[in-house]
Amino acid sequence: MHVVVCIKQVPDSAQIRVHPVTNTIMRQGVPTIINPYDLFALEEALRLRDLHGGEVTVLTMGPPMAEDSLRKALTYGADRAILLTDRHFAGSDTLATSFALSQAIAKIGETFGAPDIVFTGKQTIDGDTAQVGPGIAKRLDLLQLTYVSKIASIDLEAREIKVDRRSEGGTQMLHGRLPCLITMLEGTNEIRRGSLDDALRAARSPIVKWSAADAGIEDLSKCGLRGSPTVVKRVFAPTARVEKAEQITTADKGLIDLADELIVEIFARQPALEQELAFDASA
């Protein structure tokens, strides 16, 4: 089987700073990493390849420096890495990004074989929109399975897949057909340690670099700033809360007494909540 994994190189959120005057993210000196959610997607793709055979192609869109993340993905065991890089992609929002990536995936299908599954992480830590994966699925007319916590089974002959999907009410068990796009949840697996052979291969393997023209993108008005209807107006750090937390002593108190005391404190601070709950109970 052929699996495509979309990853993104993002700034390490633990070291991001906001400029006090311009209110923009200060990227200088901030190390970049593979989006952590994408690592769960990559590991799941590698597991499927190990189980069913085939190839894993890793794709990212970004500046030339994004090659570092692709080589990291190769050290984990990916077979091929493709960097979609072009000045026309600068300033892309999720709509423009999903367009460019979908065009590149279509080109991958023509060049290296149609993918059976396209993987993404559930979202990225720099945007947190969770829109690119579904956007790619829509543009490529793929079945989309989002927030997947487990791939239960795959039948390549019947072209069927069964997955567990996390929902607000619990877990949904979904049965669909291939090809499809899957966005993986965090904590679903543990990324492997790459072997020495994979590390050596990653160091010498060429990274396939595609411009917009190489990826077969003809309508450049859908890329970059021109193809992005959304604009980030301002980025700011939240102000620190002045109010301090109140601690409830738990010594020599049973669970019921603690629960009653907690409810009393909540209602004291949120009287409207008590009235709303009383109204709902009487209705």
Side-chain angles (χ1 to χ4, degrees):
M1 65 186 307
H2 185 198
V3 181
V4 173
V5 184
C6 297
I7 68 172
K8 184 180 181 182
Q9 181 169 272
V10 297
D12 189 345
S13 59
Q15 302 187 45
I16 285 182
R17 296 169 297 159
V18 177
H19 196 283
V21 177
T22 63
N23 290 317
T24 58
I25 293 178
M26 299 172 61
R27 297 178 181 271
Q28 293 80 5
V30 178
T32 56
I33 58 174
I34 297 178
N35 177 50
Y37 296 122
D38 296 343
L39 291 176
F40 297 108
L42 175 58
E43 173 60 28
E44 201 63 32
L46 295 173
R47 291 186 181 192
L48 290 179
R49 182 204 58 189
D50 295 344
L51 185 61
H52 299 283
E55 292 183 327
V56 172
T57 299
V58 181
L59 169 68
T60 193
M61 184 182 84
M65 62 181 292
E67 180 179 330
D68 295 340
S69 290
L70 290 175
R71 292 203 180 276
K72 184 67 175 179
L74 290 175
T75 65
Y76 289 129
D79 300 283
R80 181 184 302 111
I82 298 176
L83 173 60
L84 190 61
T85 184
D86 196 307
R87 291 184 179 274
H88 292 293
F89 302 140
S92 295
D93 68 356
T94 56
L95 189 69
T97 298
S98 64
F99 171 74
L101 289 176
S102 64
Q103 295 292 294
I105 292 171
K107 185 66 175 182
I108 288 173
E110 296 173 2
T111 308
F112 305 107
D116 299 287
I117 300 177
V118 177
F119 274 104
T120 71
K122 72 167 187 176
Q123 62 196 63
T124 59
I125 61 173
D126 58 347
D128 282 328
T129 63
Q131 295 173 349
V132 172
I136 294 172
K138 177 64 177 178
R139 293 183 184 279
L140 294 177
D141 195 25
L142 295 174
L143 169 71
Q144 57 176 295
L145 302 170
T146 58
Y147 298 101
V148 170
S149 59
K150 177 183 177 182
I151 297 179
S153 66
I154 290 181
D155 188 333
L156 292 177
E157 292 185 0
R159 307 293 291 169
E160 295 179 343
I161 184 171
K162 295 180 181 179
V163 302
D164 292 345
R165 178 184 186 272
R166 185 189 301 170
S167 63
E168 292 183 0
T171 300
Q172 298 174 332
M173 291 173 283
L174 304 180
H175 182 189
R177 297 190 61 82
L178 300 175
C180 66
L181 180 140
I182 295 175
T183 70
M184 291 297 299
L185 281 175
E186 72 280 6
T188 52
N189 52 49
E190 184 175 349
I191 191 68
R192 64 190 63 190
R193 287 182 175 272
S195 66
L196 178 59
D197 289 341
D198 285 330
L200 294 174
R201 178 177 58 86
R204 61 175 179 264
S205 293
I207 302 295
V208 180
K209 298 179 181 179
W210 284 350
S211 64
D214 295 330
I217 299 175
E218 298 178 357
D219 190 354
L220 295 178
S221 65
K222 295 181 179 180
C223 300
L225 287 174
R226 287 192 295 171
S228 302
T230 57
V231 177
V232 178
K233 183 177 180 180
R234 187 165 65 99
V235 177
F236 60 94
T239 56
R241 296 181 60 178
V242 178
E243 186 179 0
K244 295 183 179 180
E246 184 174 334
Q247 184 174 356
I248 297 177
T249 304
T250 61
D252 301 327
K253 294 181 180 179
L255 293 178
I256 295 178
D257 294 335
L258 283 173
D260 291 340
E261 186 175 349
L262 180 60
I263 291 173
V264 169
E265 290 292 336
I266 292 175
F267 286 163
R269 296 173 180 269
Q270 303 288 337
L273 177 61
E274 183 177 11
Q275 297 173 7
E276 182 180 345
L277 291 176
F279 177 80
D280 291 341
S282 62

